[in-house]
Amino acid sequence: MARHAEIPCGSAGSARALHAGLLADGIAVEDGFLPQPRVRELIDCVELRLAQGDFGAARVGADRRLQRREDIRGDRTCWIAAPLFAAERALLSDLERLRLELNREGFLGLFDLELHYAWYPPGAGYARHVDQLHGRDQRKVSLILYLNDAWTPDAGGELRIFDGHEARDIEPIAGRLVCFLTAEREHAVLPTRQDRLSVAGWFRRRI
């Protein structure tokens, strides 16, 4: 099985540890990146945005070739963009600090962030894929922050990250942050048996 670096909750120098994991394995996991009360605040934001109709069916492809393919990808998404709720502003501030720290630790050249919510209803998943769009390499570090309370192993919905012929499954536990180097990193979301929520996005290099 492929390895990944696990960073203890609340440990000092988590950006250094994240960078060390990215450098060693291309994958790093930090449990407790957000405490439970802040996870709950973001879940409330999701519920408000759902009520506002901000979520739409995710599509695959790029530009004019975008299409809905539920056999490939079954989630619904909402870009985190203004106007923002307070909990979203706090999260963006946290991730901005992380971006700056990763740049200081690893000279990664991370310039900005694109971020969205992803909601997978029961039965939905995302087939094996890479995050870089064809002919574009701005996305440098992929990140996923999970918002799932009381998640149990029988709920499914694991993130499966491939490394050659090996794979690693990572459970979508509330507050857990997963980062991996985007380039050529194949991964999938296994079908979930209950609603599965996350914040997902990419630190990007300058175009």
Side-chain angles (χ1 to χ4, degrees):
M1 299 289 285
R3 297 175 298 123
H4 68 264
E6 291 194 5
I7 301 155
C9 174
S11 63
S14 63
R16 289 191 295 274
L18 280 167
H19 173 252
L22 290 172
L23 183 65
D25 305 323
I27 307 167
V29 179
E30 181 175 0
D31 286 338
F33 180 80
L34 282 191
Q36 183 59 32
R38 291 192 56 198
V39 170
R40 183 65 252 178
E41 289 172 355
L42 286 171
I43 294 172
D44 291 342
C45 293
V46 169
E47 292 173 350
L48 287 168
R49 288 187 175 275
L50 282 167
Q52 292 173 176
D54 293 343
F55 277 73
R59 296 181 290 174
V60 298
D63 302 327
R64 295 180 180 179
R65 297 185 299 276
L66 280 170
Q67 56 182 318
R68 178 64 172 172
R69 288 284 305 276
E70 292 195 18
D71 57 318
I72 297 175
R73 180 177 187 180
D75 58 323
R76 299 179 66 84
T77 61
C78 169
W79 291 100
I80 298 178
L84 298 171
F85 296 111
E88 295 169 340
R89 290 195 295 271
L91 175 62
L92 289 177
S93 294
D94 290 339
L95 293 176
E96 174 63 9
R97 286 192 293 272
L98 178 61
R99 182 187 70 84
L100 294 173
E101 290 167 1
L102 286 174
N103 280 342
R104 281 194 292 268
E105 291 299 325
F107 305 101
L108 295 177
L110 307 177
F111 177 68
D112 65 2
L113 172 69
E114 55 180 336
L115 204 64
H116 65 276
Y117 293 112
W119 164 44
Y120 289 79
Y126 195 161
R128 186 169 178 166
H129 66 284
V130 295
D131 282 346
Q132 283 184 337
L133 301 175
H134 182 69
R136 303 177 190 175
D137 62 358
Q138 287 81 23
R139 293 173 177 175
K140 192 158 185 178
V141 175
S142 298
L143 59 93
I144 309 102
L145 173 67
Y146 294 111
L147 307 178
N148 304 297
D149 286 329
W151 197 264
T152 58
D154 61 354
E158 296 91 344
L159 173 68
R160 175 166 290 176
I161 300 183
F162 297 92
D163 184 6
H165 297 296
E166 298 184 327
R168 177 80 187 198
D169 289 349
I170 301 173
E171 292 182 87
I173 295 170
R176 171 175 283 175
L177 177 70
V178 180
C179 297
F180 58 88
L181 298 180
T182 304
E184 300 181 0
R185 176 64 69 179
E186 293 186 313
H187 56 288
V189 175
L190 302 185
T192 182
R193 299 183 184 90
Q194 64 185 55
D195 287 327
R196 177 192 190 274
L197 292 175
S198 65
V199 174
W202 306 272
F203 287 126
R204 304 186 303 181
R205 69 172 182 83
R206 191 187 298 268
I207 297 174

